[in-house]
């Protein structure tokens, strides 16, 4: 990948370019930032640069044409190791790192990274979904992070530092990626050949929260319409009218029978609300914020109504994060929605104490 084709994250590209020029690249990194903003793309681009056979010393540009560049792009380079959460799992299983019970220490990333590089001069590991490292997997990974093989580069990719185990966090250099700007999202969407939508790209980009993943989700008009209705509910500060809780459950189940997808939909519903409360706080504090027309209208209406302490906006966000944690832990989603809405109403009315949860 040529860096000129990568949209956004200029500062990070420049920072890594300086490190590579001085041959001062650390060996373990943790990339954090919302999903769908280009962290994985950056990691792949970095792997290409580091393994390119025609790169001049100190340069941060891969040639894009040598066998190594082509193999990294086609995900077939023997020295690039990749792991990610299997779709049917809630964690990054230990087997990915040290092999299954019958083949402990004979397979997996922790072993493979110690093998001599086959084509390049170093091994590169990209560990996606690092938010889902459980204690067991983290424990086996720690030794590799503490004593990586010479010149190896290990990149963990997660969404936030708070979601990482302290033992992992303390052993990685943190790199924070920001959400993309709406103009950047629009540029990326324009280049997509497989995106079909009736929603104007400017609206879609402004509503995307800076994430391509979310923009793609919102490209479906039923999802976009659900978002508008949900924002209208939140704007009343009395969410849950007209049995909206049931609409949320229905939305999470629409077009899918997969439990993982239903959970992802519910997580997304909470993300929309978290973003709404953040923008509301910014609006009340007269700080700049970016929003599409639906979010702007909702924020204005809610700002005019909000009477409670501003700290309760923070509590509302915490409550939504707690809901997301429950959804990820497989809590029966249908049962978790109504208590959430009830708590958001209580908080907006100034009640600090939330109802005990079952
Ligand atoms: Zn090359």
């Amino acid at each position: 990948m040529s860096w000129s084709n990568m949209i956004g994250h200029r500062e990070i590209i420049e920072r890594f370019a300086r490190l590579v020029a001085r041959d001062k690249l650390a060996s373990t990194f943790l990339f954090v930032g919302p999903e769908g903003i280009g962290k994985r793309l950056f990691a792949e681009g970095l792997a290409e640069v580091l393994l390119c056979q025609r790169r001049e010393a100190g340069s941060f540009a891969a040639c894009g044409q040598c066998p190594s560049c082509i193999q990294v792009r086609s995900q077939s380079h023997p020295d690039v190791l990749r792991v990610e959460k299997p779709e049917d799992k809630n964690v990054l299983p230990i087997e990915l790192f040290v092999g299954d019970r019958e083949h402990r220490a004979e397979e997996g990333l922790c072993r493979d990274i110690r093998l001599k590089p086959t084509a390049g001069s170093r091994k590169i590991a990209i560990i996606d979904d690092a938010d889902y490292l459980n204690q067991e997997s983290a424990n086996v990974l720690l030794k590799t992070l503490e004593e990586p093989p010479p010149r190896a580069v290990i990149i963990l990719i997660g969404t936030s530092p708070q979601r990482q185990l302290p033992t992992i966090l303390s052993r990685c250099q943190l790199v924070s990626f920001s959400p993309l700007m709406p103009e950047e999202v629009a540029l990326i969407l324009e280049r997509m050949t497989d995106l079909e939508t009736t929603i104007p790209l400017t609206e879609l980009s402004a509503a995307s929260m800076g994430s391509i993943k979310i923009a793609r989700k919102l490209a479906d008009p039923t999802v976009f319409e659900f978002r508008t209705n949900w924002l209208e509910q939140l704007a009343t500060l009395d969410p849950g009218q007209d049995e909206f809780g049931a609409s949320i459950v229905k939305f999470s189940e629409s077009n899918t029978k997969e439990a993982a997808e239903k959970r992802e939909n519910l997580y997304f519903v909470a993300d929309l609300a978290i973003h709404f409360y953040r923008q509301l706080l910014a609006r009340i504090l007269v700080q700049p914020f970016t929003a599409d027309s639906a979010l702007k209208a909702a924020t204005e209406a809610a700002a005019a109504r909000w009477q409670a302490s501003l700290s309760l906006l923070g509590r509302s966000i915490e409550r939504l994060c707690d809901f997301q944690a429950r959804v990820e832990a497989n809590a029966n989603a249908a049962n978790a929605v109504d208590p959430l809405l009830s708590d958001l109403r209580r908080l907006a009315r100034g009640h600090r104490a939330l109802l005990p949860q079952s």
Side-chain angles (χ1 to χ4, degrees):
M1 183 193 59
S2 157
W3 295 113
S4 57
N5 286 339
M6 179 148 185
I7 293 170
H9 313 305
R10 282 294 121 191
E11 274 177 30
I12 294 176
I13 295 172
E14 280 161 23
R15 178 164 25 134
F16 274 82
R18 284 194 297 273
L19 290 170
V20 167
R22 287 192 249 129
D23 201 18
K24 290 264 192 272
L25 201 64
S27 50
T28 52
F29 292 97
L30 171 64
F31 290 2
V32 292
E35 277 191 72
I37 60 171
K39 303 184 298 292
R40 174 82 182 244
L41 199 64
F42 183 87
E44 294 285 343
L46 183 61
E48 202 176 307
V49 167
L50 296 177
L51 294 173
C52 174
Q53 294 160 339
R54 293 192 202 142
R55 181 172 64 99
E56 285 170 31
S59 154
F60 197 56
C63 77
Q65 286 158 3
C66 71
S68 179
C69 281
I70 290 166
Q71 281 183 316
V72 174
R73 280 183 198 191
S74 63
Q75 306 227 338
S76 61
H77 198 295
D79 296 329
V80 184
L81 313 170
R82 300 174 179 86
V83 297
E84 60 186 17
K85 182 172 75 68
E87 265 182 31
D88 58 340
K89 291 267 173 9
N90 270 345
V91 292
L92 271 176
I94 186 170
E95 287 77 16
L96 294 174
F97 299 98
V98 289
D100 61 22
R101 245 172 235 293
E102 287 76 47
H103 305 90
R104 274 293 137 85
E106 293 166 25
E107 289 176 0
L109 183 136
C110 294
R111 168 196 172 261
D112 294 350
I113 200 162
R114 301 215 168 267
L115 300 176
K116 197 170 165 294
T118 15
S121 58
R122 67 210 312 174
K123 291 272 189 191
I124 295 174
I126 301 176
I127 302 171
D128 210 343
D129 303 313
D131 293 0
Y132 300 93
L133 268 172
N134 60 2
Q135 199 73 54
E136 194 184 27
S137 298
N139 284 346
V140 297
L141 183 60
L142 283 186
K143 201 171 149 38
T144 309
L145 294 180
E146 271 166 2
E147 294 166 30
R151 296 185 66 74
V153 175
I154 304 168
I155 304 166
L156 287 91
I157 305 179
T159 57
S160 74
Q162 290 79 20
R163 295 194 59 178
Q164 312 307 317
L165 295 164
T167 46
I168 296 285
L169 202 52
S170 64
R171 284 164 180 83
C172 297
Q173 226 180 73
L174 191 68
V175 183
S176 294
F177 286 70
S178 305
L180 298 163
M181 303 296 289
E183 312 83 77
E184 293 168 341
V185 174
L187 259 178
I188 295 171
L189 296 182
E190 269 169 32
R191 289 185 190 175
M192 283 182 174
T193 47
D194 63 337
L195 183 78
E196 283 177 31
T197 183
T198 50
I199 299 157
L201 291 191
T202 44
E203 276 289 292
L204 206 50
S205 321
S208 69
M209 304 189 243
S211 158
I212 298 301
K213 188 179 175 187
I214 291 177
R216 291 192 81 112
K217 209 170 165 71
L218 290 170
D220 176 342
T222 57
V223 177
F224 200 87
E225 191 192 338
F226 171 83
R227 171 183 181 270
T228 307
N229 295 339
W230 179 214
L231 289 174
E232 281 170 8
Q233 285 274 330
L234 290 166
T236 65
L237 302 184
D238 195 18
Q241 305 146 37
D242 308 321
E243 304 200 8
F244 198 76
S247 305
I248 291 178
V249 175
K250 196 169 154 224
F251 168 76
S252 74
E253 290 169 351
S254 55
N255 303 327
T256 182
K257 286 201 169 70
E258 302 289 331
E261 225 168 307
K262 287 180 195 170
R263 283 202 299 273
E264 197 186 303
N265 284 338
L266 279 174
Y267 201 92
F268 169 68
V269 171
D271 256 350
L272 290 173
I274 290 171
H275 191 62
F276 162 80
Y277 284 109
R278 286 209 182 114
Q279 301 301 64
L280 176 57
L281 185 62
R283 166 66 186 75
I284 294 173
L285 295 175
V286 205
Q287 286 170 354
F289 69 98
T290 50
D292 64 306
S293 50
L295 179 58
K296 197 159 192 301
T299 315
E300 291 298 334
R305 290 180 186 124
W306 187 269
Q307 302 281 336
S309 151
L310 286 188
S311 68
L312 294 182
L313 278 176
R315 291 272 281 140
S316 305
I317 293 171
E318 280 170 24
R319 179 64 181 84
L320 284 153
C321 292
D322 172 67
F323 171 79
Q324 288 181 322
R326 282 167 166 268
V327 167
E328 282 197 329
N330 267 326
N332 185 332
N335 294 344
V337 170
D338 280 331
L340 168 71
L341 295 177
S342 148
D343 280 345
L344 293 178
R345 291 196 296 269
R346 286 175 62 82
L347 288 164
R349 289 190 204 118
H351 297 287
R352 273 171 198 281
L354 301 180
L355 299 172
Q357 291 185 50
S358 54

